[in-house]
Amino acid sequence: MPDNREARAAARTDMIMRTTLALAQETGYAKLSIEAVAARAGVGKHTIYRRWPSKGLLFLDSLLSLNEPALDYPDTGDVMADLRRQIYAAVDLLTGPQWGPLYQALVGEAQHDPAVAAGLGERFIRPQTDKTVARLRAAQEQGQVAPGFDLDLAMSILSGPLYFRFLISQEPLTRDYVDRVLDALFAGMGPRGPADAPASA
Amino acid sequence: MPDNREARAAARTDMIMRTTLALAQETGYAKLSIEAVAARAGVGKHTIYRRWPSKGLLFLDSLLSLNEPALDYPDTGDVMADLRRQIYAAVDLLTGPQWGPLYQALVGEAQHDPAVAAGLGERFIRPQTDKTVARLRAAQEQGQVAPGFDLDLAMSILSGPLYFRFLISQEPLTRDYVDRVLDALFAGMGPRGPADAPASA
Amino acid sequence: MPDNREARAAARTDMIMRTTLALAQETGYAKLSIEAVAARAGVGKHTIYRRWPSKGLLFLDSLLSLNEPALDYPDTGDVMADLRRQIYAAVDLLTGPQWGPLYQALVGEAQHDPAVAAGLGERFIRPQTDKTVARLRAAQEQGQVAPGFDLDLAMSILSGPLYFRFLISQEPLTRDYVDRVLDALFAGMGPRGPADAPASA
Amino acid sequence: MPDNREARAAARTDMIMRTTLALAQETGYAKLSIEAVAARAGVGKHTIYRRWPSKGLLFLDSLLSLNEPALDYPDTGDVMADLRRQIYAAVDLLTGPQWGPLYQALVGEAQHDPAVAAGLGERFIRPQTDKTVARLRAAQEQGQVAPGFDLDLAMSILSGPLYFRFLISQEPLTRDYVDRVLDALFAGMGPRGPADAPASA
DNA sequence: ACCTAAGCGAGACGGTACGTCGGGTCTTCTT
DNA sequence: AAGAAGACCCGACGTACCGTCTCGCTTAGGT
């Protein structure tokens, strides 16, 4: 069996990532140290450094290795419903005690470390936005979205407020909030907007 | 002169904060150390620890001590114009090489340290949002915003996409982008939106 | 009352010295700090530094301020008896839990700090040796000590072994040991010595 | 070569001890700091703390690593001569500018730190006294020392006065002084002592 | 069936910074 | 005028991790 060795290496890699997550959950990302991961995982420090160049990237990998949600988009024909369902899922994730704080820490680390920012963008943000944009495009082709509307912009307007709550104002992310963002985005804030403009909270 | 002492203390405090910013600009926040600040400022470490409990809060204070922008809202009667002008100013700030990276680091640190998050919220985010909401309220009373529209939500939808670009997608913040967000927010994305919906980039 | 002030100063001085001894007894001389003395005594650090230039000298003063023993020599006509009684007293002192460890620390400090060594010599060691030599001289004049015997040397030979036990070999100081030193000193170790040479322990 | 590592470790240990002695000689033991030793030796502080738990024990090891004297006892058949020769050597050592002050500091430190006291006793004092007692025992068996004379006591009476001069009265240690102590010890101070009692200085 | 090469645990190592302690000096206000 | 209070610069403490580096052990393929 030629890949016996590789299998062991993969098992070790996995063990390290799981330990990283466990420690991050216990003590918080800020106090996480490679030293501690190595000790807890029963692994030499070198073995970690051989795989990851920095704590940030180790953490990125560890967190993404869960690839929890497989936030895949349904296409039922109703954009609003599909988006809502999709964003609900995302919000549930960020709200949960497992992912939430860790993902917040990851985004925080990305602000300090360009490598983390790049990895996060390519491996998590970009795929998500791509999928969303694709779903929007389908909707646009079906006339559910104004023709010519910049879909990247739409994406930003959908995600931005959520991240704003998550990272900046630290208010709780609720499904109700999602609904209101969606409604507002489709209806617009202007005075000529339809009568079903979202009501004040 | 009784406040000779206090004057000296204030001068030292100031010196420390200025040194902090200088070092942060030179080496980046991540590599900033209290040790280095003390050495450069010609000050004992204790003198820093007496004033700030952590590097994060020292940095927060230092950055806010610039109170650079005094991002004050004009009220010319035209909401769109006023908001646009205001957000241009904010974007110029975040885009500039002085504030930009430091503010990014500060927001990053806030993700790791609740104390920084709280300080940042109370002393910077909250005042800004309050002013924006106030301006929106005036507009609403003048009929420029749909009656009953949740203004906090409006605020989120305005700021969110900017922060999303700034922190997450790391794309450049441009005035054009601001225009498009504003337009979209007022017009809505739905198919019944007015003909002047923003065109794709 | 002109010396009201001086009385207060003296009281403060006393308070400081008593606090010094108390702290030294609680934590040991090594961990004693002027900071702690000032705090406990309710006194400014300056007030201590105004009186003593160093921790060692403060401690020296504090310890000698007890001038516990007033180790005064009796003269009953019997040198051996007088010396024995006198040395018993000294041994009791060094053995006691009050003085013993503190005096040991003081002698230790004298090895590091010449000022302490000088003060200790002039104010404690010298007076003691002078008194002992005086008593020996009287004995010599009465024919109880060999004529021409160097009395300073005799003094050294009496004290030396005690200090050796106290400082170097750290064996317990007992009255029995004193007796044996005295006997040996008077009788000599040589083979022509009298039959009552001290027996092995 | 398997002990490459151990050899390097030993070399480092040696380097640290030599640096310690050099610094102690330059600045005195009191001002010696582990920080300075590490810096001068080009070594991390941890590397020192890994080897020694305290400055005192580092210094003890460093000083004993010289094991300068190899104060070995000759046995020419003449006790007095052998002792004299031996003690001369010890006195020369303590008098010398190399060992003298450092050894004094070591004994001083032993008064503050029981661990140093224990180490000093076991590794330096005890071996010396053992050798002296052994030599005295041989003399006693040959009739040069009064039968039954407590040899440990004899040892104390020989060493005590020297240490007394060295540590307490701080008078110079001379060979003449050694001679007088030896004579006195053998002859005794009593009035029946032989005519050759040591004359006053 | 040996042998070489790689991966690994363990952990020593030179560094940097941490947050704390105390030394000795200074200034201000209080008594 | 002396003192309580305590800020201040400084130097050192002992600790924690960093990222690099041997070292000896295991485990396979390759010969």
Side-chain angles (χ1 to χ4, degrees):
Chain A
M1 210 176 299
D3 51 352
N4 196 354
R5 191 133 75 190
E6 285 174 25
R8 308 242 273 198
R12 242 182 302 254
T13 300
D14 227 65
M15 181 55 163
I16 293 168
M17 295 196 298
R18 263 180 292 118
T19 304
T20 298
L21 289 178
L23 278 175
Q25 241 145 8
E26 290 172 25
T27 68
Y29 172 78
K31 293 187 185 172
L32 186 66
S33 76
I34 291 189
E35 196 110 15
V37 173
R40 169 89 77 102
V43 141
K45 288 204 288 177
H46 222 48
T47 303
I48 297 182
Y49 282 111
R50 197 178 295 125
R51 287 164 165 77
W52 296 277
S54 71
K55 170 177 137 178
L57 289 176
L58 162 60
F59 185 59
L60 173 68
D61 256 23
S62 303
L63 201 46
L64 294 189
S65 77
L66 293 178
N67 73 322
E68 274 281 0
L71 292 167
D72 271 333
Y73 266 87
D75 186 344
T76 65
D78 179 353
V79 223
M80 279 287 275
D82 289 356
L83 285 175
R84 180 174 287 118
R85 186 168 139 192
Q86 176 63 12
I87 299 180
Y88 280 178
V91 160
D92 288 350
L93 208 62
L94 296 192
T95 297
Q98 314 294 325
W99 250 70
L102 298 189
Y103 184 63
Q104 185 186 354
L106 180 58
V107 175
E109 185 63 16
Q111 309 311 315
H112 300 313
D113 182 344
V116 173
L120 177 61
E122 288 169 25
R123 298 174 48 194
F124 185 74
I125 302 296
R126 169 65 42 123
Q128 292 296 326
T129 62
D130 284 354
K131 271 187 268 182
T132 302
V133 168
R135 181 64 191 85
L136 285 169
R137 177 162 302 120
Q140 201 172 36
E141 284 161 5
Q142 293 172 343
Q144 292 181 311
V145 163
F149 200 98
D150 180 347
L151 298 179
D152 283 324
L153 181 66
M155 166 66 215
S156 286
I157 297 179
L158 276 172
S159 297
L162 295 179
Y163 275 99
F164 186 78
R165 278 221 162 186
F166 185 57
L167 302 174
I168 308 295
S169 66
Q170 312 261 23
E171 292 168 275
L173 282 178
T174 64
R175 295 194 160 197
D176 175 61
Y177 183 69
V178 175
D179 291 342
R180 279 152 55 211
V181 169
L182 270 172
D183 288 347
L185 176 56
F186 273 82
M189 185 172 73
R192 298 152 316 198
D196 61 347
S200 191
Chain B
M1 213 172 301
D3 53 350
N4 198 354
R5 182 133 79 186
E6 285 175 26
R8 309 236 273 206
R12 243 181 302 252
T13 300
D14 227 66
M15 181 55 163
I16 293 168
M17 295 195 299
R18 264 181 290 118
T19 304
T20 298
L21 288 178
L23 279 174
Q25 240 145 10
E26 290 172 24
T27 67
Y29 172 78
K31 293 187 185 171
L32 184 66
S33 78
I34 290 189
E35 194 111 14
V37 173
R40 169 89 76 100
V43 141
K45 285 202 284 178
H46 226 41
T47 303
I48 297 181
Y49 282 112
R50 199 178 292 124
R51 288 165 164 75
W52 295 278
S54 71
K55 173 176 135 178
L57 288 176
L58 163 61
F59 185 59
L60 172 67
D61 256 24
S62 302
L63 201 45
L64 294 190
S65 77
L66 294 178
N67 73 322
E68 273 284 0
L71 292 168
D72 272 331
Y73 266 88
D75 186 344
T76 65
D78 179 353
V79 222
M80 280 287 275
D82 289 356
L83 285 175
R84 180 175 287 116
R85 186 168 140 191
Q86 176 63 12
I87 300 181
Y88 279 178
V91 160
D92 288 349
L93 209 62
L94 295 193
T95 297
Q98 312 294 327
W99 250 69
L102 298 189
Y103 184 63
Q104 186 186 354
L106 180 58
V107 174
E109 185 65 16
Q111 309 311 316
H112 298 314
D113 182 345
V116 172
L120 177 61
E122 289 169 22
R123 296 175 48 193
F124 186 73
I125 302 297
R126 169 64 43 121
Q128 293 295 326
T129 61
D130 284 353
K131 271 187 269 183
T132 302
V133 168
R135 181 65 191 83
L136 285 170
R137 177 162 302 119
Q140 199 173 36
E141 284 161 6
Q142 292 172 344
Q144 294 181 313
V145 163
F149 199 98
D150 181 347
L151 299 180
D152 284 323
L153 181 66
M155 166 66 215
S156 287
I157 297 179
L158 276 172
S159 297
L162 296 178
Y163 274 99
F164 186 77
R165 278 221 160 186
F166 185 57
L167 302 173
I168 308 295
S169 66
Q170 312 261 26
E171 292 169 275
L173 283 178
T174 63
R175 294 195 163 197
D176 175 59
Y177 182 69
V178 174
D179 291 341
R180 278 153 55 212
V181 169
L182 270 172
D183 288 347
L185 176 56
F186 273 83
M189 184 172 74
R192 299 150 317 202
D196 59 348
S200 192
Chain C
M1 213 177 297
D3 52 351
N4 196 354
R5 191 134 74 193
E6 286 176 25
R8 310 240 274 196
R12 240 183 303 255
T13 300
D14 226 65
M15 182 55 162
I16 293 168
M17 295 195 299
R18 262 180 292 118
T19 304
T20 299
L21 289 178
L23 279 174
Q25 240 146 8
E26 289 172 25
T27 67
Y29 173 79
K31 293 187 184 172
L32 185 66
S33 76
I34 290 190
E35 197 111 13
V37 172
R40 169 89 78 98
V43 139
K45 287 206 288 178
H46 220 49
T47 304
I48 296 181
Y49 281 111
R50 197 176 295 122
R51 288 165 164 76
W52 296 276
S54 73
K55 172 175 135 177
L57 289 175
L58 162 61
F59 185 60
L60 172 68
D61 256 25
S62 302
L63 200 48
L64 293 190
S65 76
L66 293 178
N67 73 322
E68 274 281 1
L71 293 166
D72 271 333
Y73 266 88
D75 185 344
T76 64
D78 179 352
V79 224
M80 280 286 276
D82 289 356
L83 284 175
R84 179 174 289 117
R85 187 169 139 189
Q86 176 63 12
I87 299 179
Y88 279 178
V91 161
D92 288 349
L93 208 62
L94 294 192
T95 296
Q98 314 293 328
W99 249 70
L102 298 189
Y103 184 63
Q104 187 187 353
L106 179 58
V107 174
E109 185 65 16
Q111 308 311 315
H112 298 315
D113 182 344
V116 173
L120 177 61
E122 287 169 22
R123 297 174 48 196
F124 185 73
I125 302 296
R126 169 64 44 122
Q128 292 295 326
T129 61
D130 283 354
K131 272 188 265 182
T132 304
V133 168
R135 181 65 190 82
L136 284 170
R137 178 161 301 118
Q140 198 173 39
E141 283 162 5
Q142 292 172 343
Q144 293 181 312
V145 163
F149 198 100
D150 181 347
L151 298 180
D152 283 322
L153 181 66
M155 166 66 215
S156 287
I157 298 179
L158 276 172
S159 297
L162 295 179
Y163 275 99
F164 186 78
R165 277 219 160 187
F166 184 57
L167 302 174
I168 308 295
S169 66
Q170 313 260 25
E171 292 168 276
L173 283 177
T174 62
R175 294 195 162 195
D176 175 60
Y177 183 67
V178 175
D179 291 343
R180 276 151 56 210
V181 169
L182 270 172
D183 287 348
L185 175 57
F186 274 82
M189 185 171 74
R192 297 151 318 201
D196 59 348
S200 193
Chain D
M1 212 173 300
D3 52 351
N4 199 354
R5 184 135 77 185
E6 286 175 24
R8 309 236 275 206
R12 242 180 303 250
T13 300
D14 227 66
M15 182 54 163
I16 293 168
M17 295 195 299
R18 264 181 290 117
T19 304
T20 298
L21 288 178
L23 279 174
Q25 241 146 8
E26 289 172 24
T27 68
Y29 172 79
K31 294 187 184 171
L32 185 66
S33 78
I34 290 188
E35 195 111 14
V37 173
R40 170 89 76 98
V43 141
K45 285 203 283 178
H46 223 42
T47 303
I48 297 182
Y49 283 111
R50 199 178 294 124
R51 287 164 165 77
W52 296 276
S54 71
K55 173 177 134 178
L57 288 176
L58 163 60
F59 186 59
L60 172 68
D61 256 24
S62 302
L63 199 47
L64 293 190
S65 78
L66 294 178
N67 74 322
E68 274 282 0
L71 292 167
D72 271 332
Y73 267 87
D75 187 344
T76 65
D78 179 353
V79 223
M80 280 286 276
D82 289 355
L83 285 174
R84 179 174 289 119
R85 187 168 140 191
Q86 176 63 12
I87 299 179
Y88 279 177
V91 160
D92 288 350
L93 208 63
L94 295 192
T95 298
Q98 312 293 327
W99 251 69
L102 298 188
Y103 185 64
Q104 186 186 354
L106 179 58
V107 174
E109 185 64 16
Q111 309 312 314
H112 299 313
D113 183 344
V116 172
L120 177 61
E122 287 169 25
R123 297 173 49 193
F124 186 72
I125 302 295
R126 169 64 43 120
Q128 293 296 326
T129 61
D130 283 354
K131 272 187 265 181
T132 302
V133 168
R135 181 64 191 84
L136 285 169
R137 176 162 302 119
Q140 201 172 37
E141 285 161 5
Q142 292 171 344
Q144 293 182 312
V145 163
F149 199 100
D150 180 347
L151 298 180
D152 284 323
L153 181 66
M155 166 64 215
S156 286
I157 297 179
L158 275 172
S159 296
L162 295 179
Y163 275 99
F164 186 78
R165 277 221 161 185
F166 184 57
L167 302 174
I168 308 294
S169 67
Q170 313 261 24
E171 294 168 274
L173 283 177
T174 62
R175 295 193 162 198
D176 174 60
Y177 182 69
V178 175
D179 290 342
R180 278 151 56 210
V181 169
L182 270 173
D183 287 347
L185 176 57
F186 272 82
M189 185 173 73
R192 298 153 315 198
D196 59 348
S200 191

